[in-house]
Amino acid sequence: MSEALARAAALLRDARHATAFTGAGVSVESGIPPFRGPGGLWSRVDPAFIEIGHFLDQPEESWRRIKDIFYDHFGQAKPNAAHFGLAALEAAGRLRAVITQNIDDLHQQAGSRDVIEFHGNSRWLLCLECGRREAVRPERLATLPPRCRCGGLLKPDFVFFGEGIPEKALQRSYQEASQADLFLVIGSSGEVQPACQIPLLARNRGARIIEINPHPSNFTPAADVFLQGKATQAVSELVKELGLRN
Ligand code: APR
């Protein structure tokens, strides 16, 4: 076992309050590409289609891209060993919550119970007129843009560029940053504010950081332990080291 893995396992074992912070990299091995770095979605697709002003101005054109990328392609993704490993750590009382930047619902599908969705969740549609939320069903996306029964425009319930972070998720995340003595940062480039400040706020208070990523990120300089590798392998090894099963 690597010395870094042994140190990470010891930090996790001794933590009073450990919180996970995940980005797109935790879902890469479920078939969802990252946004940045090698093979990143934003290197192939202009993200303007999920900028809120563009969406309101061109709802049909924006919805066609949204449906193609986030529902037709990524919608079939299943949780991987990293998602299941975090759920096992929570079930064993080793992890209090997962703060995720991802909108793919895979942490919940893997069994994590306390998931703080910093950027919302693509499984819901929100009416911009009456505020009603409904679960996405394939037939609701047969006609674009989808409309609420009140006639209002429906928007996926995830955060578009130019929108604010859901208040409850923001508060819960700041609460975790103020209480955790360990952050397990997995698969994030640390490029997007305000999400990426959460683990660093905890670090500034004296919390330790374990980072899992195949490549260095903006978090790496602040990490006490950098497990350089893929999420499925590193999380599975940590779970095993703690004598748990994925
Ligand atoms: N395991 C772990 N990490 C991985 C893997 C893997 N198998 N493959 C890639 N990564 C890492 C990359 O090295 C990169 O550091 O995942 C990270 C993905 O970074 P981003 O694509 O920038 O994703 P994220 O940090 O979550 O982006 C934040 O940006 O576009 C917005 O709203 C979007 O939530 C997203 C936010």
Side-chain angles (χ1 to χ4, degrees), residues 23-25 29 34-36 42 101 119 161 187-189 192 213-215 231:
E29 292 157 272
F35 293 101
R36 299 171 188 81
W42 298 150
Q101 300 172 87
H119 292 150
F161 289 111
S188 179
S189 59
V192 170
N213 197 317
H215 309 288

Side-chain angles (χ1 to χ4, degrees), residues 79-80 83-85 87-88 105-112:
N80 63 49
H83 298 106
F84 288 115
D105 201 55
L106 294 182
H107 286 299
Q108 292 91 325
Q109 291 177 32
S112 284

